[in-house]
Amino acid sequence: MRQDSRHIALFMPSLGGGGAERVMLTLARAFAEGGDRVDVIVADGRGAYCDKVPEHVSLIDLKAGRMLRAFVPLVRYLREERPDALLSTIAHANIVAVLASAAARVKTSVWVREASTVSHSLGDNVKAEGLRALMKLAYRRADGVIAVSRGVGEALVEANIVGPEQISTIYSPMEIDAIEAAAEESVDHPWLATARGTREMPLLLAVGRLTEAKDYPNLLHALALLQDQVPCRLLILGEGGKRAELEALVQQLGLSEQVQMPGFVDNPYAYMARADVYVMSSRWEGLPTAPLQAMAVGAKVVLTDCPSGPCEILEDGQWGRLVPVNDSPALAEALAETLQNDGLPDPRSRAQAFDHRVIAEHYRQRMVAS
C-alpha cells in the first residue's frame, strides 16, 4: 500500500453497461489496487455492471433514480465522507457533482470527465443549448476538466464551455491483462477456423454499434473496391438501428458472401486477436476504444482520421494507417497496403500506454497531487 493513499470517489448515473461506466469501474479498480480508499457513487444502483464493482471498492447507491434527485444525497455524502477527490463522468452527472460540491462546502477536489465531442453529442436544439449553458456554469467551477482526447478538449473550448487552461487530456484506460486473457478464448466461426496468414481469404473486423457515426456504408463501399485487389471478408460486430439499411447495401454491392454481421458478442477480443486487420470507418468519435483493444492483442489497424482520437492513438500514423473520412477509395487502398505489408510495427507497444494502471496514475496525479 502506498504511503500517500487518498480517499477517491467516482460518481456516475448508474451501473449501466456503457463505455463511461466501464471506464469508471476500471479506474476504481486501479485506484484500489494502488492502496487508495475508493467509493463508487451512483444515482441508481441498477444496471448491467452490478456484479462488476471491483473488490475493495465501496458501492454507494444514492437510490435517487433520476439524476436531479441525486443532488441532495450527494451533498450529504460529501459532508459526511469528505473524500480528497471526486471524479464524475457524463454531462448530467458532472453538473450535479460540481453543484453538490459547492453546496456541501467541502475541500474535495472536483474533476469532471468528458468523453464526447460536444459539437456532435449536444446538437443545436433548444434543449441542447440549455445543457450547454449548464455545462458552462458547472465545468468552470470544477477544479479541472479531463478530456479523453485532445480533440474532445478542443471541442469544449470551441463551444465556449471552458478555457484551455482548465483542460487536462488523459486517455481512457484498458485492462490489458484481462483483454489478453479473453483473447485466448475460442471462437466458433468458420471464417476464424484458421490462423492469420493461412486462411483462404484475409479477414477484416469492425466492432461498434450500427449507427451513423460509424459510417459502415463507407466501409462496405471500400470492401467492394478491395475485392479486385485483395479478395477478403468482413465481420462487423455490433447492433443498432442501421442494420436493415446496411443489409440492403450488402446485397446491392454483391457482398453477401463476403460480409457477415453477427450482432453484439460478449468477447470481441477473441475476434480481434484472429482478424488480419481491424478497421474503423467512423465519421466522429470521442476516443475510440475498440481499435486500442485490437492493438493490445496485436491486430493491424486502419482508421479514419476523424475527430477525435485516431490520430492521437496512432501518433500521426506511426502504428497504423490513417485515411480521410468518407473516402472509400482511400480506405480500400489503405486496407490493401496493410494486408500486403508485414513490415508494420507491433501495435502492442503503443497499446501499453493505455494500460489502466498507467492511466489511473495520470488521473491520480491530477486530482490529488500534493
Side-chain angles (χ1 to χ4, degrees):
M1 179 177 291
R2 62 196 306 161
Q3 294 182 345
D4 63 339
S5 62
R6 299 297 183 93
H7 182 187
I8 301 175
L10 299 94
F11 178 58
M12 54 187 174
S14 72
L15 291 170
E21 293 88 346
R22 184 179 63 250
V23 164
M24 294 291 267
L25 292 176
T26 297
L27 288 171
R29 177 177 290 106
F31 291 142
E33 288 173 351
D36 292 314
R37 174 187 169 191
V38 184
D39 293 338
V40 167
I41 311 165
V42 291
D44 184 344
R46 295 170 295 182
Y49 289 155
C50 283
D51 61 345
K52 303 296 184 184
V53 178
E55 192 177 4
H56 306 305
V57 171
S58 297
L59 175 63
I60 311 296
D61 183 1
L62 301 181
K63 301 185 185 301
R66 298 177 61 185
M67 181 53 64
L68 187 60
R69 294 174 183 164
F71 177 79
V72 172
L74 183 58
V75 170
R76 186 180 305 118
Y77 165 86
L78 290 170
R79 286 176 176 170
E80 293 175 355
E81 300 296 334
R82 299 179 180 268
D84 295 297
L86 174 66
L87 172 67
S88 63
T89 192
I90 303 178
H92 295 83
N94 291 342
I95 293 165
V96 169
V98 174
L99 298 182
S101 175
R105 297 183 180 181
V106 292
K107 294 182 179 180
T108 299
S109 173
V110 181
W111 292 74
V112 299
R113 174 182 178 271
E114 187 57 60
S116 301
T117 306
V118 293
S119 55
H120 295 294
S121 62
L122 291 183
D124 57 3
N125 54 36
V126 174
K127 184 177 179 180
E129 284 301 319
L131 180 57
R132 185 180 284 107
L134 287 172
M135 289 171 68
K136 181 176 179 179
L137 170 69
Y139 285 25
R140 294 190 177 203
R141 297 186 68 168
D143 288 279
V145 177
I146 293 175
V148 301
S149 69
R150 290 194 301 272
V152 166
E154 290 164 1
L156 287 169
V157 174
E158 290 171 4
N160 196 32
I161 291 174
V162 290
E165 70 283 352
Q166 263 194 283
I167 296 173
S168 299
T169 299
I170 305 179
Y171 298 128
S172 297
M174 297 188 296
E175 293 184 78
I176 293 179
D177 292 348
I179 290 172
E180 290 174 338
E184 295 294 327
E185 295 181 9
S186 61
V187 177
D188 185 18
H189 193 287
W191 289 359
L192 293 168
T194 55
R196 290 174 182 161
T198 64
R199 54 180 64 112
E200 177 186 353
M201 282 197 286
L203 178 68
L204 309 180
L205 177 71
V207 179
R209 288 183 55 78
L210 310 182
T211 63
E212 179 185 359
K214 301 301 182 184
D215 199 10
Y216 288 125
N218 177 37
L219 175 54
L220 292 173
H221 282 287
L223 182 68
L225 294 172
L226 187 59
Q227 298 306 309
D228 291 333
Q229 303 177 62
V230 187
C232 57
R233 293 170 171 146
L234 169 67
L235 278 176
I236 300 176
L237 306 182
E239 198 50 81
K242 296 289 185 178
R243 171 173 283 278
E245 176 184 319
L246 293 172
E247 288 175 340
L249 183 58
V250 167
Q251 294 293 326
Q252 177 185 331
L253 293 173
L255 295 172
S256 58
E257 298 298 318
Q258 288 81 30
V259 178
Q260 288 190 12
M261 295 187 288
F264 175 82
V265 300
D266 288 327
N267 180 11
Y269 315 122
Y271 289 77
M272 293 171 176
R274 291 163 174 81
D276 293 281
V277 176
Y278 180 90
V279 56
M280 188 191 82
S281 54
S282 296
R283 292 177 179 269
W284 68 84
E285 294 281 349
L287 181 81
T289 55
L292 279 165
Q293 293 161 350
M295 291 167 68
V297 294
K300 300 175 183 179
V301 296
V302 174
L303 313 178
T304 47
D305 191 11
C306 68
S308 54
C311 185
E312 297 173 53
I313 289 171
L314 297 183
E315 295 187 306
D316 297 318
Q318 292 185 48
W319 302 96
R321 288 179 171 82
L322 291 164
V323 299
V325 170
N326 195 28
D327 188 337
S328 299
L331 183 55
E333 181 179 353
L335 287 167
E337 291 174 352
T338 303
L339 286 167
Q340 295 168 338
N341 181 3
D342 292 329
L344 294 171
D346 190 335
R348 285 173 286 200
S349 299
R350 174 58 176 158
Q352 288 297 323
F354 298 82
D355 183 77
H356 69 293
R357 288 157 292 208
V358 175
I359 297 298
E361 188 59 27
H362 290 322
Y363 269 91
R364 197 178 186 282
Q365 289 299 319
R366 294 291 194 286
M367 297 190 301
V368 298
S370 301

